[in-house]
Amino acid sequence: AEQQAEDQMAALQKMQAVSKVPCVRSDSKGQRLDLELDPTLLVPGDVVFLAAGDRIPADVRILHCTDGMEVDNSALTGESMPEPRHTKTEAATCSPTEARNLAFFGTTVLKGNATCIVHATADNTFLGKIAQGIKSSRVKSTLEYQIEHFIHIIAVVAIVVGALSLAANLMSP
């Protein structure tokens, strides 16, 4: 089980984008810096530019996108149908996976272009949180505790019955 979890972690890490990401940052004087950064160097607040075929390098909020932009979320949801994206803010009650103005690390832009702001990187991404869940130890269910308790009771009863049987056999003429 531990080896399987490690293999899953390795697979998730391989999903990290390897190509440089066009990005905009501000320097200490407030001047715009146009950069091409390795995805591991992105930080929340960076503005990134994505095009069709790009793997999304972090969890991002879409600031601007072309009409009909689509993202492949199969790495997260297992659903093979591309999902449309737009810039409209979703209701506060909408879950992040259903929000159409967000795109997640490890997914791919299938159609369109987007300007996005990074809001989560590394272990703080949606996929990173899933990976942490895989890595953390499994919690026993209530049923498992009840079965374990039942087994202990049966073992004690078996030992007592065996001891009484042995004592009865030793005392009989």
Side-chain angles (χ1 to χ4, degrees):
E2 190 173 325
Q3 181 62 41
Q4 183 181 9
E6 287 176 12
D7 292 344
Q8 289 171 341
M9 282 300 298
L12 289 173
Q13 288 171 347
K14 284 181 185 177
M15 293 179 72
Q16 175 76 28
V18 291
S19 61
K20 301 230 182 245
V21 179
C23 163
V24 173
R25 284 187 178 168
S26 296
D27 65 11
S28 59
K29 297 174 187 167
Q31 298 294 318
R32 176 184 166 131
L33 297 173
D34 290 317
L35 305 168
E36 293 261 335
L37 292 177
D38 189 79
T40 58
L41 300 176
L42 291 174
V43 296
D46 283 345
V47 176
V48 295
F49 304 100
L50 302 172
D54 289 350
R55 187 172 297 275
I56 297 172
D59 285 1
V60 296
R61 182 171 306 279
I62 299 169
L63 301 173
H64 173 75
C65 67
T66 56
D67 287 338
M69 180 185 172
E70 291 182 342
V71 175
D72 175 16
N73 277 347
S74 61
L76 291 178
T77 63
E79 191 172 324
S80 61
M81 294 297 294
E83 296 181 11
R85 292 293 182 246
H86 57 70
T87 58
K88 296 179 191 129
T89 304
E90 298 287 349
T93 57
C94 184
S95 74
T97 54
E98 298 297 320
R100 300 289 176 238
N101 63 335
L102 299 176
F104 301 101
F105 165 72
T107 61
T108 307
V109 178
L110 294 179
K111 188 166 98 174
N113 300 317
T115 302
C116 310
I117 188 164
V118 174
H119 73 87
T121 59
D123 286 344
N124 296 322
T125 63
F126 195 77
L127 198 59
K129 289 175 184 171
I130 292 172
Q132 284 177 339
I134 291 171
K135 223 163 55 168
S136 67
S137 63
R138 194 176 73 79
V139 178
K140 285 186 179 179
S141 71
T142 305
L143 178 63
E144 288 173 309
Y145 280 118
Q146 290 173 344
I147 290 172
E148 192 174 295
H149 180 69
F150 180 71
I151 289 171
H152 286 112
I153 290 172
I154 295 296
V156 168
V157 168
I159 290 171
V160 169
V161 168
L164 289 174
S165 176
L166 178 64
N169 282 337
L170 290 175
M171 291 187 171
S172 67

